[in-house]
Amino acid sequence: MPQARSNRRQEPQAPPLSPSRLSSILVALALVAGAFFPHPALAQQAADAVQPEVGGATAGVRAVSAQHEMVVTAHPEASKAGLAMLEKGGSAIDAMIAAQLVLGLVEPQSSGIGGGAFLLVHDGASGRLVTYDGRETAPMAASGDLFIGEDGEAMKFFDAVIGGRSVGTPGTVALLAAAHRKHGRLPWAELFEPAIELADKGFAVTERFNALVAANAESLARFEATRKYFLSEEGVPIFPGTVLRNPAYADTLRAIAKDGEKAFYSGPIAEDIVKTIQAAEGNPGLLSLDDLAAYQVKEREPVCFDYRDAKICGMGPPSSGALTIGQILGMVENRDMAALGADNPESWRLIGEASRLAFADRGRYMADSDFVDMPAGLLNRSYLAGRAKLLSGGSDGGPVLTQNDVQPGMPPDDRTLLYADDQALELPSTSHLAIVDRFGTVVSMTTTIENAYGSRLMVRGFLLNNELTDFSFVPEVAGRPVANRVEPGKRPRSSMAPTIVYRGGKPWLAIGSPGGSRIIGYVAKTLIAMIDWKMDIQQAVGLPHLVNRFGTYDVEEGTTAEALAPALSEYGYRVEAKNLNSGLHGIMIGENGLAGGADPRREGVALGN
Ligand code: GLU
């Protein structure tokens, strides 16, 4: 029996790669690298850094172009399902729904109907940008001490995650239904056909699927329904190449296809969800039928800000994504990032320092604004210009900010003294979809069940999220409330950053990524790579990662980002080489068509016509 690795490891690891497969990939890369990566070392690495363990030989190697319509998702089957809807005359929303339902089957560790999502839609007909919040909610019975153990201390992260306690009211089904009512063209039930067919007929387990099951085997084995689906009787993870069927998921989808969202939020499916959560051995949860019945999708104002000639729009609270990215870009905007370039440690010092300062504000102020008064001035230009002065230390290669310098600022507002810093931890799973249809509608959606395999609870063929562990585990620090504390009905703060960028008043880019709180760094640097460093979308998503959230500089291991480590250490950072498993998926909308980029670190593909 393969040895199950610790369930604490969240970031997908490379399954073994055969030498022959590796060499065929390297040949493919060598062929395209010269033509598509004229940029020096780092950009060259954008091609070379393709981590072939997670994709096919051509996945993510070069931008895919199309004329009229395009779908980019984390799995070929999901991209195919989405494109099939577009080809039938469906809208980008129709394609998104079909793709999401397939993702819940073929990439179950990342997202699905047991989770939540944030959706940005630029509607081609009205030219309006709408954002939908399908984030999970805390049960009405939950309170600030949800994650405080019997000893009065905050629970350990995985003790809280695994089981019923962490499960928030899923928002994805309500989100799909709301989006379909507003922007759908094809009949609702038709969008379910690809996923139902694939669930009935089965799909081939990939190496990545197998490796992730193996990495989480111990926790997946704790609950019978989950164990039976992912592991053999002896606890062996399902093999690559196995055809995996999920008839329970097909039945669930048939019910929702027929009766709409009410088949999920009430009746037998809802009853099973609640029963599974409340009966979870060792760590039961509080979610009730009333919580499910009361779930509401919220349409919210987008958060938009200017960066050079671009207008960048994203998801506002309860996500911290757009606000934190806006702060980072706002702080580096008066620097000549284009002249500094992608290979210059000074570029990364500036991005890293701006990011640390933005994360300090995020920790102090950002949460579900329906529950906490957030300062209005977080993106105020003069506030950010003041914060940017803190970056001056190293403009000639001088020292970086000390931890004492990296404190939350005082954005122009009178509510800034209320809160203590957040203690929430986030780890990667999640999926991003970008879609453009021939009617000019653009979709950017980040979707999640939070941790890999969420709470590990499986019901009727789908996994339940652990989104509530995105709340702070402690409700207050030194007598001051934490903005992101648990409250009944509240949505946990997120880092998800589905983004749509406008140039010349027209949508120019849809982009986003998984990666927990590193999402913010992944998306911010992709925007800088495309806007300042003029990389094409595939170069930008493949560019090796350098991410700084709280002080340590994470550089992507096995890439040329590591070559910058000595210079960053000299500045005073503690540098750590890590597997930084983003899943950046995007579409650039040019004058002459569409270019799609899929992250070479995962299995995704861009498909279009
Ligand atoms: N739950 C996280 C969030 O909402 C996303 C997790 C991930 O990207 O892995 O920010």
Side-chain angles (χ1 to χ4, degrees):
M1 171 188 147
Q3 198 59 41
R5 274 174 276 166
S6 154
N7 64 357
R8 297 191 71 85
R9 193 200 58 69
Q10 289 310 304
E11 302 185 21
Q13 299 263 312
L17 182 71
S18 72
S20 64
R21 203 167 140 227
L22 177 61
S23 62
S24 67
I25 291 157
L26 293 178
V27 168
L29 281 175
L31 288 175
V32 296
F36 288 90
F37 298 93
H39 214 266
L42 261 190
Q44 176 64 43
Q45 186 71 5
D48 296 345
V50 170
Q51 292 176 7
E53 77 273 18
V54 295
T58 55
V61 173
R62 49 187 282 192
V64 170
S65 52
Q67 277 307 305
H68 310 291
E69 55 198 13
M70 181 172 274
V71 181
V72 190
T73 79
H75 197 282
E77 291 290 354
S79 296
K80 250 165 53 192
L83 191 67
M85 297 304 137
L86 295 183
E87 286 171 349
K88 284 200 222 176
S91 68
I93 287 295
D94 294 327
M96 175 279 282
I97 295 169
Q100 170 68 81
L101 298 171
V102 171
L103 285 174
L105 178 71
V106 297
E107 201 201 26
Q109 72 279 2
S110 295
S111 76
I113 59 175
F118 294 122
L119 166 67
L120 262 64
V121 188
H122 167 90
D123 185 75
S126 65
R128 212 179 132 231
L129 175 68
V130 195
T131 78
Y132 295 95
D133 167 356
R135 184 74 163 168
E136 298 88 336
T137 56
M140 291 312 285
S143 57
D145 61 2
L146 182 68
F147 296 118
I148 302 291
E150 277 163 17
D151 57 358
E153 299 292 319
M155 294 174 76
K156 288 206 188 94
F157 184 67
F158 282 102
D159 291 348
V161 166
I162 297 168
R165 188 185 302 255
S166 63
V167 185
T169 322
T172 298
V173 174
L175 176 71
L176 302 185
H180 184 255
R181 279 193 293 274
K182 286 263 175 75
H183 312 275
R185 298 172 75 97
L186 297 175
W188 171 249
E190 216 169 304
L191 312 175
F192 285 64
E193 285 168 6
I196 291 174
E197 196 189 320
L198 205 56
D200 275 335
K201 163 177 117 204
F203 62 96
V205 168
T206 61
E207 286 181 18
R208 182 167 195 267
F209 191 109
N210 161 267
L212 284 167
V213 172
N216 292 277
E218 187 201 320
S219 61
L220 295 174
R222 287 206 215 164
F223 303 104
E224 201 191 341
T226 321
R227 178 179 59 74
K228 281 193 171 151
Y229 185 65
F230 289 106
L231 304 163
S232 74
E233 279 296 313
E234 300 76 38
V236 178
I238 186 150
F239 283 147
T242 311
V243 174
L244 183 58
R245 295 184 182 82
N246 190 341
Y249 185 60
D251 286 344
T252 300
L253 294 187
R254 271 190 273 270
I256 305 170
K258 179 166 159 283
D259 293 328
E261 62 190 304
K262 70 173 192 296
F264 183 87
Y265 289 97
S266 60
I269 297 176
E271 283 159 21
D272 269 6
I273 292 173
V274 168
K275 225 188 293 162
T276 305
I277 292 168
Q278 295 189 354
E281 211 191 306
N283 193 25
L286 299 170
L287 197 90
S288 71
L289 282 173
D290 287 345
D291 292 315
L292 283 165
Y295 186 81
Q296 300 263 326
V297 173
K298 301 208 171 176
E299 201 177 310
R300 298 190 187 271
E301 279 305 309
V303 166
C304 296
F305 52 90
D306 293 329
Y307 180 69
R308 311 207 193 280
D309 67 338
K311 180 177 168 198
I312 298 172
C313 294
M315 193 72 216
S319 185
S320 62
L323 285 171
T324 314
I325 292 170
Q327 284 208 343
I328 296 169
L329 297 183
M331 280 184 257
V332 303
E333 191 171 15
N334 65 354
R335 303 300 181 121
D336 193 347
M337 299 303 287
L340 286 170
D343 292 320
N344 191 330
E346 175 65 359
S347 294
W348 297 101
R349 186 192 68 81
L350 290 168
I351 294 168
E353 298 285 73
S355 173
R356 293 172 71 191
L357 291 163
F359 266 83
D361 273 11
R362 171 184 177 273
R364 176 69 57 90
Y365 302 121
M366 298 182 200
D368 182 349
S369 53
D370 291 348
F371 284 75
V372 297
D373 280 333
M374 280 180 46
L378 287 164
L379 292 180
N380 180 291
R381 285 205 165 245
S382 56
Y383 169 63
L384 291 180
R387 295 283 278 169
K389 289 199 185 119
L390 293 169
L391 307 183
S392 60
S395 51
D396 321 305
V400 298
L401 297 177
T402 67
Q403 206 61 38
N404 275 347
D405 301 324
V406 183
Q407 295 295 330
M410 299 281 268
D413 201 287
D414 54 5
R415 289 168 287 209
T416 46
L417 287 174
L418 284 176
Y419 300 115
D421 297 343
D422 176 37
Q423 315 282 312
L425 225 152
E426 287 159 81
L427 293 166
S429 71
T430 310
S431 213
H432 186 79
L433 301 84
I435 304 174
V436 175
D437 68 22
R438 58 181 66 222
F439 314 106
T441 293
V442 181
V443 160
S444 187
M445 177 168 94
T446 313
T447 174
T448 188
I449 56 170
E450 210 309 281
N451 206 252
Y453 307 94
S455 63
R456 279 59 166 186
L457 293 174
M458 201 167 191
V459 50
R460 291 180 177 250
F462 62 91
L463 285 159
L464 294 169
N465 70 83
N466 68 298
E467 218 69 52
L468 301 185
T469 53
D470 273 356
F471 279 118
S472 170
F473 277 31
V474 297
E476 55 173 57
V477 176
R480 282 203 309 203
V482 175
N484 185 33
R485 66 191 177 280
V486 181
E487 295 182 74
K490 188 176 174 181
R491 297 169 192 228
R493 186 194 59 204
S494 170
S495 300
M496 294 194 291
T499 303
I500 294 183
V501 183
Y502 293 81
R503 267 178 149 171
K506 289 195 226 144
W508 170 69
L509 176 69
I511 189 82
S513 180
S517 54
R518 290 196 186 94
I519 290 172
I520 289 162
Y522 295 151
V523 174
K525 85 175 238 277
T526 305
L527 294 171
I528 292 172
M530 292 186 70
I531 295 169
D532 289 315
W533 299 331
K534 309 276 183 266
M535 293 188 190
D536 78 24
I537 187 153
Q538 190 59 45
Q539 286 175 304
V541 304
L543 185 69
H545 292 310
L546 295 102
V547 185
N548 193 334
R549 295 165 298 166
F550 312 115
T552 306
Y553 225 126
D554 298 335
V555 299
E556 188 172 4
E557 71 185 8
T559 73
T560 50
E562 287 195 81
L564 290 170
L568 293 173
S569 303
E570 224 158 89
Y571 283 157
Y573 295 108
R574 206 172 84 230
V575 182
E576 287 180 7
K578 290 205 170 125
N579 173 7
L580 297 177
N581 196 254
S582 57
L584 284 154
H585 295 143
I587 301 176
M588 201 206 80
I589 306 151
E591 290 300 325
N592 303 315
L594 309 170
D599 200 315
R601 301 164 186 87
R602 298 204 182 196
E603 298 171 307
V605 291
L607 298 176
N609 293 306

